Amino acid sequence: MKKLILTTTALAMTASFAMADTVRMGTEGAYAPWNFVNDAGEIDGFERELGDELCKRAELECTWVKNEWDSIIPNLVSSNYDTIIAGMSITPERDEVIDFTQAYTPADPSAYAAMSADVNLEGGVIAAQATTIQAGFVAAQGWTLVEFATPEETVAAVKNGEADAVLADKSFLDTMVGQDGLVMLERMEAIGGGVGMGLRESDPELRAKFDAAIQSMKDDGSLNTLIAKWEVSTQW
């Protein structure tokens, strides 16, 4: 899944979560099928269903908070919510700032979409969402990168000719290909890690509760059922 490239150092002082309080679940709400806002204006998708089940198993009262991707870690550290459940890959860079549960999905491959199947990636302009591992990958290749704040803008850039292709999670691009002539390219990149919940380092008890809930869903097969339902990743 997409990975934030952390470039800042100190973010904020943290405050420990009081286990008696309602747990606020932070998500982007703009990355179908992982998380999105439905027609009723509610957070929906794989991670909404997963998060609700994890809270039930952990015997926690939970509410949902929508937050833009580029500030999702700083706002967790600043205690604007208590978890991140937003398709976030577990990376060493992030782990220096926040803690993670065990992964609840394996890595999702990154794929390219374009308006032509024979686009030249190395010589073209590649769009990616800012502060993601895909953007970092394109930059590391020395290719021409153009970054956008939201995943929808990266796809729009390909459709309107600003970019030759977009690199993003395959599960996200699966929801976009076929629209206005957008096609998936055969080439894929293995640049993601497992996806887990992010928590403040000062909340080990909360992390342990969600770890146990995730493990229970793995053990009884319900996590694989949910992954298959939403087609977000390979199964465990």
Side-chain angles (χ1 to χ4, degrees):
M1 192 51 202
K2 59 190 178 183
K3 298 180 179 179
L4 184 66
I5 306 301
L6 297 177
T7 57
T8 58
T9 52
L11 292 175
M13 295 187 67
T14 65
S16 294
F17 170 75
M19 293 305 296
D21 294 342
T22 298
V23 178
R24 297 160 298 170
M25 309 280 274
T27 195
E28 184 182 15
Y31 210 68
W34 295 79
N35 56 79
F36 58 92
V37 177
N38 62 25
D39 292 340
E42 300 172 338
I43 298 295
D44 204 342
F46 165 71
E47 285 168 319
R48 174 60 193 266
E49 191 169 350
L50 171 65
D52 286 349
E53 179 62 21
L54 292 176
C55 288
K56 178 181 177 181
R57 294 185 182 218
E59 298 182 345
L60 295 168
E61 187 72 28
C62 296
T63 60
W64 288 84
V65 179
K66 184 176 179 295
N67 193 95
E68 293 181 356
W69 176 255
D70 61 358
S71 62
I72 203 164
I73 286 181
N75 280 333
L76 170 69
V77 176
S78 298
S79 298
N80 291 337
Y81 34 81
D82 305 299
T83 75
I84 294 172
I85 179 166
M88 180 172 282
S89 295
I90 301 168
T91 70
E93 296 87 353
R94 288 184 180 137
D95 200 35
E96 292 179 359
V97 181
I98 61 175
D99 275 350
F100 284 95
T101 62
Q102 64 171 297
Y104 53 77
T105 72
D108 186 34
S110 295
Y112 299 91
M115 299 303 291
S116 171
D118 59 359
V119 65
N120 178 8
L121 296 173
E122 291 81 358
V125 177
I126 311 301
Q129 187 177 11
T131 66
T132 63
I133 194 63
Q134 287 90 358
F137 176 85
V138 174
Q141 308 314 301
W143 302 347
T144 302
L145 168 69
V146 56
E147 297 179 88
F148 296 89
T150 69
E152 289 82 2
E153 287 175 300
T154 65
V155 174
V158 174
K159 291 181 179 180
N160 65 28
E162 290 182 72
D164 297 296
V166 52
L167 179 62
D169 296 322
K170 183 179 181 298
S171 56
F172 167 71
L173 291 179
D174 281 338
T175 69
M176 297 289 176
V177 293
Q179 300 178 15
D180 303 319
L182 193 72
V183 297
M184 192 86 77
L185 305 188
E186 291 186 3
R187 176 170 174 171
M188 295 188 188
E189 311 293 353
I191 56 176
V195 176
M197 294 178 68
L199 302 100
R200 288 183 291 275
E201 293 181 339
S202 57
D203 289 337
E205 185 181 353
L206 184 60
R207 185 190 67 240
K209 283 179 176 288
F210 281 120
D211 260 334
I214 292 168
Q215 188 61 53
S216 73
M217 291 188 69
K218 289 180 178 179
D219 292 344
D220 66 17
S222 57
L223 186 51
N224 274 342
T225 299
L226 206 57
I227 290 171
K229 172 184 175 179
W230 290 97
E231 299 181 344
V232 294
S233 179
T234 57
Q235 296 185 350
W236 292 103

